Structure formats: structure tokens, C-alpha cells
Amino acid sequence: MSALLPWLSSALLLLGSLLGLIGAIGVLRLPDSYTRMHAASKAGALGTALILVGTAAASEGAFALAALFAAGVLLATAPLAAHAMARAAHRAGITPVTGPLGDALAEAEGDGEDAPLRT
């Protein structure tokens, strides 16, 4: 089993780095702040979590437990933070690039039917 751990940790570190690179390319290439935020939060958080799990597989003891805890906290909080920033940007008036489906949040806020959106 100990011969497998270096290979597993190397694979996890490489996969996490690749996902981080894909997220960085997404931040550079995507058209508006909302899609850039999506790329940064999803790919960045998953890439960083994989790097932390790879680090935990390469280490032992309390440091491995701390790395796994940090990965769990990151995976739990990164999507929530991205959602909060996107809502704040939408309320500040930053308009998204919309396709044929339109902007459902702006339509819901304009009708006044969905009062919890304006808390």
C-alpha cells in the first residue's frame, strides 16, 4: 500500500494543477464577470481541493488530517462565496451577457412577485 501512495498523490497533484489551469484559462477567455466567477470558483476550488488531498496522501499524521479538513472547508464555502458575489454584482447593476433565454433573475425582480430576492 505504501508503494501506491506516491503515485496516487502525484496523480492528484497533477489533476488538481490541470483543473487550476483550466480555471485560469476560463477566467481569461469567458465573456463576462459571472461566467468568469463560475470558472474561478468551480475549477479553482476543485483543483485546490485535489491538491490538498494529494498533499494529505503524501504526508502522514496530523498534517494529513489538517489538509483534508481544509479541502472540505474549501469545497463547502467556495460555491457559497461565488453565489454571494454574483448576487451582489447583479444587485449592483452589472449585467450578464445573456443568450436567447434571457436573465431570469432580472425578470423575477422586475415582477415583484418574488419578494425574498430583495432581502
Side-chain angles (χ1 to χ4, degrees):
M1 182 70 177
S2 65
L4 181 65
L5 283 178
W7 289 98
L8 177 66
S9 64
S10 297
L12 288 171
L13 289 171
L14 285 173
L15 187 60
S17 299
L18 180 65
L19 280 174
L21 177 66
I22 290 170
I25 291 171
V27 168
L28 292 175
R29 299 282 301 168
L30 292 171
D32 65 344
S33 61
Y34 297 103
T35 54
R36 289 178 187 152
M37 192 179 325
H38 180 77
S41 67
K42 303 301 183 251
L46 184 58
T48 306
L50 285 174
I51 289 172
L52 285 169
V53 170
T55 304
S59 63
E60 56 192 38
F63 186 73
L65 185 62
L68 290 175
F69 179 71
V73 168
L74 181 71
L75 287 175
T77 58
L80 298 173
H83 178 76
M85 288 188 296
R87 296 256 324 184
H90 196 273
R91 287 185 179 174
I94 299 173
T95 58
V97 174
T98 58
L101 297 177
D103 186 5
L105 185 59
E107 293 168 5
E109 286 180 347
D111 290 341
E113 296 175 6
D114 203 2
L117 289 177
R118 293 239 179 226
T119 58

